[in-house]
Amino acid sequence: MDVLLLALLVATAIIIVRLRGLWAAVMLTGIYSFLSASWMLLLDAPDVAFTEAAVGAGISTVLMLGTLSLTSRRERAPRRSPLLPLVVVTLTGAALIYGTLDMPHFGDPAAPIQTYPAPSYVERSVEDIDVPNVVTAVLGSYRGFDTLGETVVVFTAGIVVLVLLRGRRSELEEP
């Protein structure tokens, strides 16, 4: 199941990159987000999966469709060579892969995620933040910065879309 899901993620990403029709690309990014949410469920991270489904497939798709309604449905052919962006993406991908080489294997019982945070959350949550329910303490307080960061990203994306749409309207209204 893991290999099939990863293959679908890679195939969807390749198809998105190859598409020139922007509406189809937006729809496929929504599908990609649902596949990513499924992947997070397989990794036992349902909260991240729900967030990915809501933000990645829901809100982001709506924002992209709103933007697309005021722009062209077809991507223009690039005027410059795609070599420099390809090099930048390749180097970034290589750096990200290099960064994962030190990570412990998935499910390793000796990994820091398995040994440090969980016992400390259970032992210290009441005295740290005065919330008796450990699940509420983890989701509402310890991981509160995650939620705040996600909210900032979505809010910033919405503001950028509004700025871009306002600029596009100004161009259309000029004689």
Side-chain angles (χ1 to χ4, degrees):
M1 183 68 173
D2 295 351
V3 174
L4 175 65
L5 196 53
L6 282 175
L8 285 172
L9 279 168
V10 170
T12 306
I14 290 172
I15 291 170
I16 291 171
V17 169
R18 303 283 306 163
L19 280 176
R20 292 287 176 232
L22 296 179
W23 190 86
V26 168
M27 291 293 106
L28 280 176
T29 57
I31 291 171
Y32 186 88
S33 292
F34 275 123
L35 290 171
S36 296
S38 301
W39 177 249
M40 293 301 153
L41 275 177
L42 288 177
L43 294 177
D44 292 331
D47 56 328
V48 178
F50 287 135
T51 302
E52 177 62 30
V55 174
I59 295 171
S60 296
T61 303
V62 169
L63 288 175
M64 286 190 281
L65 286 175
T67 303
L68 195 59
S69 70
L70 298 173
T71 59
S72 172
R73 289 182 174 250
R74 300 286 301 170
E75 180 183 358
R76 291 185 200 146
R79 296 181 192 157
R80 300 181 190 152
S81 169
L83 188 60
L84 180 61
L86 180 63
V87 169
V88 170
V89 167
T90 302
L91 290 176
T92 304
L96 290 172
I97 290 172
Y98 178 75
T100 64
L101 295 179
D102 277 349
M103 293 177 66
H105 295 286
F106 179 70
D108 183 5
I113 191 69
Q114 305 294 340
T115 58
Y116 171 70
S120 66
Y121 286 156
V122 173
E123 294 167 1
R124 297 189 339 226
S125 65
V126 173
E127 67 186 61
D128 278 355
I129 56 175
D130 201 25
V131 174
N133 186 321
V134 176
V135 174
T136 302
V138 169
L139 293 177
S141 183
Y142 291 119
R143 298 200 56 192
F145 287 115
D146 290 347
T147 304
L148 178 64
E150 292 162 355
T151 305
V152 167
V153 167
V154 171
F155 180 75
T156 304
I159 295 296
V160 169
V161 167
L162 290 176
V163 168
L164 290 173
L165 294 177
R166 187 177 181 97
R168 176 77 175 162
R169 282 188 185 157
S170 297
E171 289 176 11
L172 294 175
E173 291 173 359
E174 289 179 6

